[in-house]
Amino acid sequence: MAEDLDPIDARILDILQQDAALSVAEVAERVGLSASPCWRRIKRLEDAGLIVRRVTLLDAARLGLDFEVYAIVKLNLPSSENLAAFETAVADWPEVVQCATITGREDYVLRIITRDMHAFDRFLRDKLLALGIVSDCESHIVTRGVKNVTSLPLGLVSAHVG
């Protein structure tokens, strides 16, 4: 679909990823279209899977969820069964907000959000290590966030469009 993305589609996507609460009329006005053609473009982008869902971003600090840890995890044996068991468990843990497989000696990197150090310790002991398939977990506590964006760099896509 990226090859079918014209500059107006790219602009619509950029606007929506900055503020998904905008009405179709507001998006249409910003891209210079009337509401109906803009709605059709948005619908096409949704149907193509480029727009996956629309969410509301919350203030973690105001909610008391500002203890953030990146954990690098190595499994005892990265067999298909262990990988599946780990990924199934991670999917059920609300503290894990991101999980990715990685290259190198370790198997996963997790982004974990909790209330405080004690809550993280309980998560580590009662969930992660209790699985019995983790051989090592190296935790990195975030002391200060420098950049945290949710928008994709559409300029990298639209630079090839035209």
Side-chain angles (χ1 to χ4, degrees):
M1 175 74 187
E3 62 276 355
D4 298 333
L5 195 66
D6 68 23
I8 293 174
D9 289 338
R11 181 75 180 121
I12 289 170
L13 290 173
D14 193 46
I15 289 167
L16 288 176
Q17 73 176 346
Q18 298 302 321
D19 187 354
L22 292 173
S23 69
V24 172
E26 291 170 308
V27 175
E29 183 179 326
R30 291 185 187 189
V31 298
L33 293 174
S34 61
S36 291
C38 185
W39 179 85
R40 283 192 297 273
R41 283 176 178 260
I42 291 171
K43 179 75 172 121
R44 182 175 48 80
L45 294 166
E46 288 173 338
D47 292 345
L50 288 166
I51 298 173
V52 179
R53 69 177 183 254
R54 301 178 197 199
V55 299
T56 299
L57 301 177
L58 306 177
D59 187 319
R62 287 181 183 236
L63 291 166
L65 295 171
D66 54 351
F67 190 80
E68 184 176 356
V69 178
Y70 285 88
I72 313 299
V73 176
K74 176 148 183 60
L75 301 183
N76 292 329
L77 176 66
S79 65
S80 295
E81 296 81 17
N82 284 351
L83 294 169
F86 183 82
E87 291 172 15
T88 298
V90 164
D92 289 336
W93 295 335
E95 300 91 342
V96 177
V97 296
Q98 291 179 312
C99 174
T101 58
I102 56 174
T103 61
R105 296 179 317 153
E106 291 81 12
D107 299 304
Y108 294 94
V109 61
L110 308 178
R111 181 173 170 234
I112 301 163
I113 304 288
T114 64
R115 295 187 70 76
D116 55 32
M117 174 72 83
H118 301 293
F120 172 69
D121 183 59
R122 283 190 302 276
F123 166 81
L124 191 62
R125 293 171 184 267
D126 299 343
K127 292 182 179 179
L128 188 65
L129 298 177
L131 277 178
I133 59 174
V134 173
S135 67
D136 189 38
C137 177
E138 183 178 313
S139 301
H140 301 269
I141 297 169
V142 175
T143 57
R144 181 175 59 92
V146 176
K147 181 178 181 181
N148 185 14
V149 298
T150 59
S151 57
L152 295 176
L154 291 178
L156 300 177
V157 174
S158 60
H160 297 89
V161 176

